[in-house]
Amino acid sequence: MSASAEPVGSSPAEQLSERLRRFREERGMSRSELAERAGLSRPTIWAWESGKTQPRNSDLQTLAAALGISEIELIAG
C-alpha cells in the first residue's frame, strides 16, 4: 500500500478546530490577539479550538478575515 502525498500542515481528517489553531499559530498570534482582531472573547476562541463548540457561519467570516485567509481556506483547509 502506498502513502499519498498531502500538503504540509493539512490532512483530510483535520478538523475545523485544528485548522483554526494551526492558522492562528502559523501567524504567530495568541488566542487573545485573534479574539481582539475578530471582536470575540478569548474563551470563545478557546472553545472553538478545543472542539467544545463550533463557530456560526457569520463567525467563520470574521475569523477568516482576522486571520487574513478566505472562508473556504478556514473551512476546507
Side-chain angles (χ1 to χ4, degrees):
M1 186 183 294
S2 66
S4 62
E6 295 177 6
V8 174
S10 179
S11 74
E14 187 180 41
Q15 300 295 312
L16 176 61
S17 59
E18 296 166 326
R19 265 192 308 280
L20 176 57
R21 181 175 32 255
R22 177 171 56 84
F23 281 124
R24 177 182 59 76
E25 290 175 350
E26 285 174 354
R27 282 146 185 78
M29 295 170 66
S30 68
R31 284 189 185 118
S32 295
E33 289 171 309
L34 178 56
E36 185 175 319
R37 285 186 186 199
L40 300 162
S41 71
R42 195 177 61 77
T44 296
I45 301 295
W46 174 84
W48 291 341
E49 285 188 356
S50 65
K52 300 286 183 193
T53 61
Q54 294 289 314
R56 295 180 181 148
N57 287 336
S58 59
D59 293 326
L60 289 172
Q61 288 179 315
T62 302
L63 283 170
L67 290 165
I69 59 175
S70 72
E71 191 176 348
I72 299 296
E73 278 182 283
L74 182 57
I75 295 169

